[in-house]
Amino acid sequence: MRFGTRLALFVTATLLVVGATTGVGVRFLLRDILIDDGKTQVVAAEARFHKQLTELGRSMAEGVRLLTLDFALRRAIADRDAATVLSALRNHGRRVGASRTILIDTDGTVAGDTSDDAAGAGAAFPFPALLDRAAEEEYAAMVAIVENKPVWLVVVPVLAPDPIAYIAAALPLDSARLLRMQDAIGLPGQLGLAARGPAGWRQVAGSMGDRLPEHLPLEGNEPTVVAFDGDEDIVLTRILAVPENSPAVMTVIGYPLSDALRRYQRILLGLVPALALGGGAALIGLAAIARGVSRPIEVLAGYTERIAAGDYTPPPPLARGDELGQLSVALHAMTRAISDREDRIRHQATHDPITGLTNRDAFLATVQAADPAGAMVVVALTAWRDTVRTVGREIGEGLMHDVGQRIASILPANVPLGAIGENAFAVYLPGADPAAARAIAAHIAELCDLPYRNADPYLEPGLNIDIPVAAGIALRPDHGSDPALLVRRAEVALLAAMQQQTRVASYDPDADPHRPMRLSLMNDLRVGLRRNEFQLLYQPKLDLRTNTITGAEALIRWQHPTQGFLPPDEFISLAEQTGNIQHVTRWVLRNGLLEASAWQAAGLSVRLAINLSVRDLSDEKLPERIAELLQNIGLPPRALVLEVTESAIMGEPERAIAVLRRLEQLGLDIAIDDFGVGQSSLAYLRRLPICEIKLDKSFIMQLRQNSDDRTIVRSVIELAHGLGYRVTAEGVEDAFGLDLLRSFGCDYAQGYYIARPLPAATFRALVASGPDPALGAPA
Ligand code: C2E
Ligand code: CA
Ligand code: CA
């Protein structure tokens, strides 16, 4: 129910209740007042009626006494002239209003009677006491019932000077007379006379009629409220004095309470339209007020519903000075605050706090909606973690922010750019072909050639930090349409770029380690290691001073049951990326060392070189495992050389160096493999516990053609020797190279010219056959 309706209903109900209780209250009050008033009235009326009766008796007695003085009458009485007496009685009786006049002898017998049907002369006067009283008090007057009718009986003595006779005059107290008397006393109710008969009281004259109450109050009663026929009267009765032989008579005075009340009720009822009118007016006024209150409340409620539905356009404030106005102003402010907060939350939910760029989820959503053809470029700060470790997270984050700004500055506004990881950004180039994507990726990489200069004076002011980056590209729809998949593929390309030491690479489905075919290959790998599908080949290492074979590098081969022969390049890096390389390393160590112990048993003095990969160097249990293996097989640590690439160390240098130190402490020699292709200098290597450098074959294979390579190789050998390292050259493919290396003072040579990687038995036979003069004269 609406507020306005409720208010109107409540007020109407209140009005009705107040009206009704007032009406009822007033009615009862009025009744009390009317009863009091009625009682006073009946008491007064009764007194006046009584006084009238007395007055009537006195004036009648006066008239009758005048008659007794009449000489003719006195003569007639003395002469016993009945006819004259009767005539005089009639005349005088009529004059005083008497209906009957009687002459009574002193002995109490009737001497003459004007009534026609009277008992006649000689009968006894029925009320002898009245005669005595008249003689004593000049006259006597009393109500009496004569022939069943009430009369006012006056008796006067005829004095001469003693009473010689009595004259009685009867005035009928009939209803007409009582009515006149009632008028005279001004009584609004009823006046009646009741006589006691054998059946109780009954009205003998008056206006009571049938209304004579059954249980009349006895004489001397106070005025009493009596109910009959649904009406109420105030009734007062009084027993009148009657002669001894008359039935008892009483006056009954009734005052109709109901009539009086009815009069006031009319006034009360007259109030009803006034009340209704007032109520109506109040209702209309109230409805207006309620509308004035409830309309704006409805408007405000409407606003809050809108807010709940997520519409935060602030409502226009109501132009009101009251609380509702204040409420609307508050609502306005609240909506604004909520919408601001919502905006902030939405911004936080969709943006990266460090760079201020779109975050991963929001970026993917934007790409989802963008042109379905295009290129995804993922750019990562490759050294970011090292940077953070060195200069702290705050500067690292400042760096990320700066790079984000740089990238954003070269992109058109409609190109989605997001920060998708702690050190990576993604750009989606709608409609870009591979060439355009490469150009943009290269441009972004170039932007990062300029070192980051820390601007915050509180954080190492003026610090310059290099920003090495790599970028991977995946094409849509060629490499997928799902944005998340595209990002993943661009990340695969990015990893490839990092491995290939280039800055930009495109996704190559065949090289993707995450592809299902590759994953199943990894499954096959673990099974294959158990089933001996793998084989180790041994490539000899020639000692260039003695021209004898003093070492061998173990190189793994896989004869896959369905895919045939797989070179290590096909599965080694895949195993590294999928965390399976440890299984390979364990297998190689075990089988290589078993072969080495066979060499020892055969009296061949050959050191075994084994390749470790980056994951091996983060395995802290590796040194213990190798020590245990050497002990179990019964080989001294000197028998084993471990080959490690620079890039394997660079990933997590501290950890790798710790592992390498422990290996060195065990007495193992460590060689740096593929030296020259990485970025590190010889000076950097000084931090590492190594004793051998393997010059990468790319410098060796073209020694004959390339004089630069010759210069490089020569100086590296000299520098390495200066630092106390032995040098191995791998990829020696011809005699020229071998001779040149020997002239440069290189320690060992490895390559197809000396021997290809050989099966164990072939290798053993080769070593056992002694030095090959073709490779130089043995020492
Ligand atoms: P690497 O450690 O640099 O191994 C030397 C590679 O150069 C071998 O290729 C070898 O066959 C090849 N090679 C040797 N002499 C010459 C030459 O005169 N000319 C040319 N063009 N190549 C020559 P391979 O056996 O295919 O191995 C490739 C790579 O696979 C290795 O490079 C090594 O990084 C990895 N690898 C091989 N076996 C293992 C292993 O058991 N464990 C680990 N972790 N990696 C291995
Ligand atoms: Ca190697
Ligand atoms: Ca190598």
Side-chain angles (χ1 to χ4, degrees):
M1 203 187 284
R2 294 195 155 188
F3 168 72
T5 320
R6 268 208 327 239
L7 187 66
L9 277 181
F10 170 74
V11 171
T12 312
T14 313
L15 222 72
L16 282 177
V17 168
V18 168
T21 45
T22 310
V24 170
V26 166
R27 194 190 170 279
F28 278 102
L29 202 70
L30 250 172
R31 187 169 173 274
D32 281 356
I33 294 171
L34 286 177
I35 286 171
D36 281 354
D37 182 49
K39 282 177 179 174
T40 325
Q41 284 213 37
V42 290
V43 169
E46 199 275 336
R48 281 201 295 278
F49 176 63
H50 213 76
K51 200 172 162 207
Q52 269 201 344
L53 271 184
T54 317
E55 199 56 41
L56 192 62
R58 210 180 46 74
S59 64
M60 268 178 70
E62 204 54 45
V64 173
R65 207 151 52 93
L66 280 177
L67 174 63
T68 61
L69 297 178
D70 184 84
F71 180 72
L73 180 72
R74 294 170 78 102
R75 262 278 295 277
I77 290 171
D79 295 351
R80 310 240 162 224
D81 178 357
T84 310
V85 168
L86 271 179
S87 154
L89 287 179
R90 253 188 212 109
N91 287 338
H92 274 85
R94 211 174 289 129
R95 217 171 294 146
V96 297
S99 60
R100 185 176 177 185
T101 315
I102 305 166
L103 182 67
I104 306 149
D105 272 341
T106 45
D107 62 356
T109 55
V110 175
D113 191 341
T114 58
S115 172
D116 300 330
D117 43 68
F125 182 66
F127 311 114
L130 278 180
L131 304 180
D132 298 342
R133 191 142 155 213
E136 277 163 27
E137 297 177 8
E138 291 182 14
Y139 76 95
M142 266 186 192
V143 173
I145 299 294
V146 178
E147 290 165 349
N148 289 327
K149 291 200 173 79
V151 292
W152 188 233
L153 199 61
V154 176
V155 178
V156 180
V158 183
L159 299 171
D162 288 327
I164 52 163
Y166 297 90
I167 294 173
L171 184 80
L173 289 174
D174 55 8
S175 297
R177 179 169 293 273
L178 282 181
L179 265 179
R180 277 201 306 278
M181 291 174 81
Q182 188 186 338
D183 275 354
I185 59 177
L187 177 69
Q190 287 92 24
L191 177 63
L193 287 177
R196 183 150 46 200
W201 294 95
R202 76 188 161 79
Q203 177 177 279
V204 283
S207 55
M208 304 292 292
D210 295 337
R211 295 174 60 85
L212 187 65
E214 263 177 42
H215 306 288
L216 287 176
L218 294 174
E219 195 215 5
N221 275 0
E222 291 296 304
T224 309
V225 180
V226 175
F228 55 108
D229 282 0
D231 280 343
E232 280 183 314
D233 282 29
I234 296 168
V235 175
L236 178 66
T237 56
R238 186 182 292 277
I239 305 273
L240 298 176
V242 288
E244 68 276 20
N245 292 329
S246 167
V249 173
M250 71 177 176
T251 51
V252 181
I253 292 177
Y255 178 85
L257 192 58
S258 309
D259 278 0
L261 260 178
R262 216 164 282 133
R263 247 188 355 261
Y264 286 101
Q265 243 153 19
R266 220 173 302 131
I267 295 170
L268 274 181
L269 285 177
L271 279 177
V272 170
L275 210 78
L277 214 72
L283 259 178
I284 290 168
L286 258 168
I289 290 174
R291 220 178 134 67
V293 172
S294 66
R295 267 308 295 159
I297 287 180
E298 276 163 25
V299 170
L300 294 179
Y303 292 152
T304 56
E305 271 162 24
R306 255 178 37 202
I307 295 169
D311 176 1
Y312 296 119
T313 17
L318 299 175
R320 297 171 70 111
D322 59 6
E323 294 88 334
L324 288 171
Q326 290 168 14
L327 185 62
S328 91
V329 168
L331 199 66
H332 185 91
M334 190 187 82
T335 317
R336 182 132 297 155
I338 290 177
S339 104
D340 284 357
R341 202 169 314 144
E342 190 101 329
D343 285 351
R344 263 203 317 279
I345 291 170
R346 197 176 302 123
H347 188 269
Q348 278 167 11
T350 56
H351 286 76
D352 172 57
I354 293 163
T355 58
L357 299 173
T358 315
N359 65 17
R360 187 184 182 100
D361 289 347
F363 172 76
L364 293 179
T366 318
V367 174
Q368 184 75 49
D371 188 340
M376 178 72 74
V377 179
V378 170
V379 180
L381 277 62
T382 53
W384 194 75
R385 262 169 231 164
D386 287 333
T387 308
V388 166
R389 253 196 299 276
T390 323
V391 296
R393 183 157 283 274
E394 276 166 301
I395 294 179
E397 289 176 351
L399 173 68
M400 270 301 279
H401 180 84
D402 185 59
V403 173
Q405 294 304 306
R406 293 184 195 189
I407 298 174
S409 72
I410 64 149
L411 295 175
N414 65 331
V415 168
L417 163 65
I420 57 161
E422 63 172 359
N423 66 334
F425 300 92
V427 180
Y428 182 69
L429 303 163
D433 58 17
R438 273 192 167 267
I440 300 246
H443 190 181
I444 291 173
E446 260 167 48
L447 288 174
C448 299
D449 284 343
L450 201 67
Y452 170 65
R453 173 175 273 271
N454 173 37
D456 190 334
Y458 297 101
L459 304 166
E460 315 240 357
L463 188 72
N464 277 335
I465 302 169
D466 285 332
I467 317 170
V469 297
I473 299 169
L475 300 172
R476 200 186 196 188
D478 300 7
H479 301 145
S481 348
D482 175 55
L485 179 67
L486 270 179
V487 165
R488 215 154 54 229
R489 302 234 143 127
E491 282 170 342
V492 168
L494 175 104
L495 281 176
M498 285 166 73
Q499 267 158 15
Q500 293 156 19
Q501 318 266 1
T502 59
R503 300 225 303 202
V504 179
S506 292
Y507 176 72
D508 174 7
D510 296 331
D512 184 352
H514 303 302
R515 299 232 341 200
M517 196 268 277
R518 304 253 146 193
L519 291 174
S520 85
L521 191 65
M522 284 302 99
N523 209 30
D524 296 350
L525 181 125
R526 289 194 295 274
V527 177
L529 286 172
R530 282 202 299 276
R531 291 192 185 154
N532 278 324
E533 289 164 14
F534 291 82
Q535 188 197 359
L536 282 180
L537 296 185
Y538 300 90
Q539 189 175 33
K541 276 171 84 176
L542 185 72
D543 184 328
L544 289 178
R545 266 173 295 133
T546 62
N547 292 326
T548 52
I549 293 166
T550 56
E553 178 178 2
L555 295 163
I556 194 166
R557 300 289 178 263
W558 185 4
Q559 190 67 42
H560 191 276
T562 55
Q563 296 189 34
F565 174 76
L566 291 175
D569 291 334
E570 294 262 307
F571 61 90
I572 289 294
S573 69
L574 186 60
E576 280 174 347
Q577 286 160 16
T578 55
N580 282 300
I581 194 67
Q582 272 107 329
H583 303 292
V584 176
T585 303
R586 237 174 274 173
W587 186 90
V588 170
L589 273 169
R590 184 168 187 81
N591 287 278
L593 287 174
L594 283 173
E595 180 61 21
S597 84
W599 299 337
Q600 196 188 41
L604 307 175
S605 132
V606 181
R607 298 180 79 192
L608 176 71
I610 277 185
N611 293 286
L612 289 186
S613 78
V614 57
R615 293 270 190 133
D616 292 320
L617 291 185
S618 61
D619 176 6
E620 281 163 357
K621 296 215 182 71
L622 183 74
E624 279 66 44
R625 207 174 296 126
I626 292 178
E628 207 179 287
L629 207 55
L630 285 168
Q631 202 167 12
N632 288 348
I633 291 173
L635 280 175
R638 260 201 53 79
L640 188 60
V641 179
L642 298 173
E643 297 189 5
V644 179
T645 61
E646 299 165 59
S647 55
I649 300 169
M650 301 301 272
E652 259 187 302
E654 310 302 328
R655 208 149 146 193
I657 290 170
V659 171
L660 290 176
R661 287 243 154 80
R662 302 242 302 285
L663 291 167
E664 185 204 25
Q665 282 157 15
L666 286 173
L668 298 167
D669 275 358
I670 292 156
I672 289 293
D673 204 354
D674 300 346
F675 184 79
V677 294
Q679 262 125 32
S680 59
S681 58
L682 274 170
Y684 175 80
L685 295 183
R686 301 206 56 185
R687 294 175 54 208
L688 307 177
I690 55 169
C691 53
E692 181 179 330
I693 281 168
K694 289 189 82 174
L695 265 168
D696 191 71
K697 54 181 174 277
S698 57
F699 297 97
I700 308 300
M701 291 190 305
Q702 266 115 49
L703 278 177
R704 194 160 39 161
Q705 299 93 323
N706 196 322
S707 63
D708 284 350
D709 285 355
R710 291 198 287 272
T711 316
I712 292 169
V713 169
R714 184 191 195 135
S715 54
V716 169
I717 292 171
E718 278 170 12
L719 279 168
H721 282 165
L723 292 167
Y725 302 139
R726 292 191 308 267
V727 181
T728 300
E730 62 177 9
V732 182
E733 293 189 344
D734 49 32
F736 179 91
L738 188 66
D739 291 339
L740 194 67
L741 287 164
R742 191 178 283 125
S743 73
F744 287 163
C746 185
D747 303 286
Y748 306 99
Q750 184 182 344
Y752 291 169
Y753 181 69
I754 300 153
R756 291 197 168 245
L758 304 169
T762 319
F763 174 76
R764 237 185 280 172
L766 178 75
V767 178
S769 67
D772 179 354
L775 299 175

